[in-house]
Amino acid sequence: MAREVANLWWAMLGFATLVWLAVGALWLYAMLRRPRPVSGEQAKRINRAWVIGGGVVLPSVSIAVLLAFGLPTGRGMLPLPLAGGPPLRIQVTGHQWWWEVRYPDAGVVTANQLILPVGRPVDIEVTSADVIHSFWVPRLGGKMDMIPGRTNLIRLEAAQAGVYRGQCAEFCGTQHAFMVLHVEALEDDGFSAWLARRQQRAPIQPAPGAAGELFETRCGQCHRVAGLSDGNRAPDLTDLATRPTLGAGAIANDHDGLRRWLREHQTLKHGNAMPRHDEVPDATLDQIAQWLETLAP
Ligand code: HEC
Ligand SMILES: [Cu+2]
């Protein structure tokens, strides 16, 4: 989709450049040439020719040419039924300020990362849980608004394996910039393996001791970890350790990053919807961090 939009954009730029050069050349010619006397009749005819030629014919032809290119491009971007059966379905829900990502037909949930198969069209159903967000992966396609109470469909197809950056593209509050979506396109078997690892993983054991208790009574009220808690107000943590960042781009998800996030998330991403838990001893947070690091299917 992004390629077609880019081609159309370059074609429009090329044509607009030609028009601009032609108008510039005519203007220079009109400025520089020696005035030549014309009768009132002649002047009227010349004026009429310019008004009709430059004001009616040229724009009509230009718009017709643009439409001839633009309509097929626009049609190609519509999620029309495909000959090979319905495409893979993924549901992406915007939250202030993170992304919920579901693979409904596989029963898999993740957050802040979107894994796609290469070379296969994917229908992404976008919506929002709070304010208007916008789903945008510039290298794959156009933007699609995420509107509460409404589901919009955007069809994407990654031509190459690799990592693409997605970003919320509708101002949704003070941490809108930290609403990054890590998009990764995997070859077909890599993608199936990614899904299978999440579907077939062994039951997750709770963290030992105080950490497990705290997680169950507090964190789990908001966060889901498959088989342990079913909070639905925060990013699913079942595969937390596989994410490149925490807080949707706020900090790298490594050993130190995770510990810092658990202590200082309100400094790293001020105003985010996870309440402070300053009274929890650091040792307990570190135990939780250690446990979260094992959540990698
Ligand atoms: C009131 C709900 C709530 C509670 C309770 C809560 N969190 Fe969160 N948590 C959130 C929200 C919302 C986010 C996403 C913040 C953002 O990125 O804007 C989040 C983000 C996180 C992240 C980063 C996830 C990611 O993918 O970026 C981790 C890790 C985390 N919380 C761990 C915990 C732990 C551990 C506890 C318990 C000590 C806890 N949370 C308690 C709401 C909560
Ligand atoms: Cu936003």
Side-chain angles (χ1 to χ4, degrees):
M1 192 202 279
R3 183 163 48 214
E4 286 185 28
V5 171
N7 287 343
L8 185 63
W9 190 90
W10 284 110
M12 280 170 68
L13 180 72
F15 190 73
T17 307
L18 284 182
V19 171
W20 181 72
L21 287 175
V23 171
L26 284 170
W27 176 78
L28 272 179
Y29 173 69
M31 290 294 118
L32 296 178
R33 73 164 190 177
R34 207 179 296 265
R36 126 169 84 86
V38 282
S39 72
E41 246 335 283
Q42 271 175 314
K44 236 188 227 161
R45 234 181 315 119
I46 295 173
N47 286 350
R48 205 177 311 123
W50 278 110
V51 168
I52 292 176
V56 179
V57 176
L58 179 67
S60 305
V61 170
S62 309
I63 290 172
V65 170
L66 191 58
L67 270 182
F69 280 104
L71 287 181
T73 305
R75 200 180 150 75
M77 284 163 42
L78 291 178
L80 300 172
L82 294 176
L88 174 73
R89 227 159 42 103
I90 304 180
Q91 295 165 337
V92 179
T93 305
H95 295 257
Q96 281 172 311
W97 294 283
W98 56 280
W99 306 85
E100 175 185 338
V101 179
R102 294 178 175 269
Y103 297 75
D105 303 319
V108 168
V109 187
T110 185
N112 297 334
Q113 61 176 347
L114 174 62
I115 311 296
L116 307 170
V118 170
R120 258 212 280 162
V122 177
D123 274 358
I124 301 185
E125 300 169 5
V126 302
T127 186
S128 166
D130 37 48
V131 301
I132 298 178
H133 302 274
S134 182
F135 175 92
W136 192 28
V137 187
R139 284 177 63 210
L140 294 183
K143 290 181 241 200
M144 186 57 77
D145 276 357
M146 310 173 90
I147 297 170
R150 202 193 141 95
T151 301
N152 287 335
L153 193 60
I154 180 166
R155 180 170 294 164
L156 298 181
E157 184 174 332
Q160 285 169 17
V163 173
Y164 303 88
R165 183 186 163 111
Q167 169 69 44
C168 177
E170 182 72 47
F171 182 70
C172 57
T174 49
Q175 294 298 346
H176 162 67
F178 281 141
M179 196 163 156
V180 174
L181 180 63
H182 170 88
V183 180
E184 203 169 333
L186 301 177
E187 299 293 349
D188 242 357
D189 29 343
F191 177 75
S192 321
W194 184 88
L195 271 186
R197 278 201 301 278
R198 279 155 180 76
Q199 288 172 308
Q200 297 156 5
R201 69 174 303 181
I204 298 172
Q205 297 305 316
E213 227 163 82
L214 180 76
F215 193 87
E216 192 187 326
T217 54
R218 188 181 306 196
C219 323
Q221 303 302 307
C222 293
H223 291 281
R224 173 176 175 273
V225 169
L228 287 184
S229 66
D230 54 5
N232 61 359
R233 287 191 282 154
D236 191 299
L237 299 180
T238 311
D239 63 0
L240 179 81
T242 65
R243 278 175 224 161
T245 69
L246 298 166
I251 188 171
N253 183 14
D254 52 24
H255 182 273
D256 294 341
L258 181 55
R259 281 148 187 83
R260 273 193 70 196
W261 173 264
L262 294 185
R263 287 172 172 72
E264 307 168 25
H265 58 273
Q266 283 300 338
T267 312
L268 294 166
K269 187 171 180 179
H270 181 75
N272 84 75
M274 173 145 99
R276 288 179 178 281
H277 34 245
D278 295 339
E279 79 293 356
V280 178
D282 281 353
T284 312
L285 289 181
D286 286 347
Q287 275 173 348
I288 290 190
Q290 208 169 2
W291 173 70
L292 287 173
E293 279 168 341
T294 65
L295 301 187

